[in-house]
Amino acid sequence: PKQEKNFGLSGLLAKETRMWQGIELKFTEPPEGRLPTLRWRLYEFKGEEQTATLHLHRCSCYVFGRDRSLNKFPGFVPTDHPSCSKQHAVIQYRLKEEDDGMGGVKTSVRPYVMDLQSTNGVKLNGERIEDMRYYELKEKDVVRFGNSSREYVLLHEGSLESGRGDDTP
């Protein structure tokens, strides 16, 4: 018997758009993805000790995880804790449009975090976030990946000088 043609969705095209040097990424950069306009930094702490400073303004997205095959990915940040997934989470900069209060639109590029269906989750300020959903990050937010004791605090270059506590440049 002749096989029927199937014109249904196969997912192959979507998979192809998520490829980077033969490695399938668990996310696709959204159309509103942009390079950040502020020099954001992620300060890594283990307990009270600051262990690293990650400069998060050179790429439009950063993938956190244990997948060492992504070492050459421009925005790869290794998280070596065993409770972290190969591709655990992504911090993505996105263009955000807001009403300026005068009938116009104000735009800004904001950082967002998304859990890439990791086994042990992502915590934002102590609360576990949903998988595959973007959460806007604000200045002084604390992010944790899996069951790692490392905490990451988000600040930008104007944070320390301004002392305002908001995220206005």
Side-chain angles (χ1 to χ4, degrees), residues 71-132:
N71 264 349
K72 291 191 182 337
F73 184 76
F76 178 68
V77 180
T79 54
D80 294 328
H81 196 272
S83 70
C84 290
S85 299
K86 284 185 171 186
Q87 294 179 43
H88 197 91
V90 64
I91 289 182
Q92 171 74 58
Y93 290 99
R94 300 170 68 196
L95 184 67
K96 181 178 181 182
E97 294 183 346
E98 298 174 290
D99 182 8
D100 68 358
M102 295 182 277
V105 176
K106 176 175 74 168
T107 61
S108 61
V109 179
R110 310 288 307 155
Y112 290 79
V113 65
M114 180 168 61
D115 184 336
L116 298 175
Q117 296 177 316
S118 65
T119 304
N120 294 304
V122 174
K123 289 185 179 166
L124 176 58
N125 298 323
E127 298 288 323
R128 187 166 174 167
I129 63 173
E130 289 179 40
D131 291 350
M132 302 307 285

Side-chain angles (χ1 to χ4, degrees), residues 10-146:
S10 68
L12 292 176
L13 185 59
K15 181 179 179 179
E16 196 172 294
T17 62
R18 292 191 309 259
M19 296 299 280
W20 181 81
Q21 294 187 354
I23 302 163
E24 184 180 357
L25 297 174
K26 286 188 165 187
F27 78 104
T28 305
E29 194 162 4
E32 70 275 8
R34 300 286 190 280
L35 281 171
T37 52
L38 288 175
R39 291 178 182 261
W40 289 95
R41 296 183 182 112
L42 208 54
Y43 294 89
E44 180 184 287
F45 288 88
K46 186 165 185 164
E48 295 293 316
E49 180 188 348
Q50 182 185 342
T51 54
T53 301
L54 306 169
H55 297 270
L56 297 184
H57 59 270
R58 297 176 179 136
C59 298
S60 58
C61 65
Y62 291 84
V63 178
F64 293 77
R66 291 186 300 112
D67 191 351
R68 291 300 183 161
S69 61
L70 287 172
N71 264 349
K72 291 191 182 337
F73 184 76
F76 178 68
V77 180
T79 54
D80 294 328
H81 196 272
S83 70
C84 290
S85 299
K86 284 185 171 186
Q87 294 179 43
H88 197 91
V90 64
I91 289 182
Q92 171 74 58
Y93 290 99
R94 300 170 68 196
L95 184 67
K96 181 178 181 182
E97 294 183 346
E98 298 174 290
D99 182 8
D100 68 358
M102 295 182 277
V105 176
K106 176 175 74 168
T107 61
S108 61
V109 179
R110 310 288 307 155
Y112 290 79
V113 65
M114 180 168 61
D115 184 336
L116 298 175
Q117 296 177 316
S118 65
T119 304
N120 294 304
V122 174
K123 289 185 179 166
L124 176 58
N125 298 323
E127 298 288 323
R128 187 166 174 167
I129 63 173
E130 289 179 40
D131 291 350
M132 302 307 285
R133 181 173 167 232
Y134 283 112
Y135 288 81
E136 185 176 348
L137 293 173
K138 305 227 186 280
E139 182 182 21
K140 299 181 184 170
D141 275 350
V142 178
V143 180
R144 281 183 57 188
F145 303 108

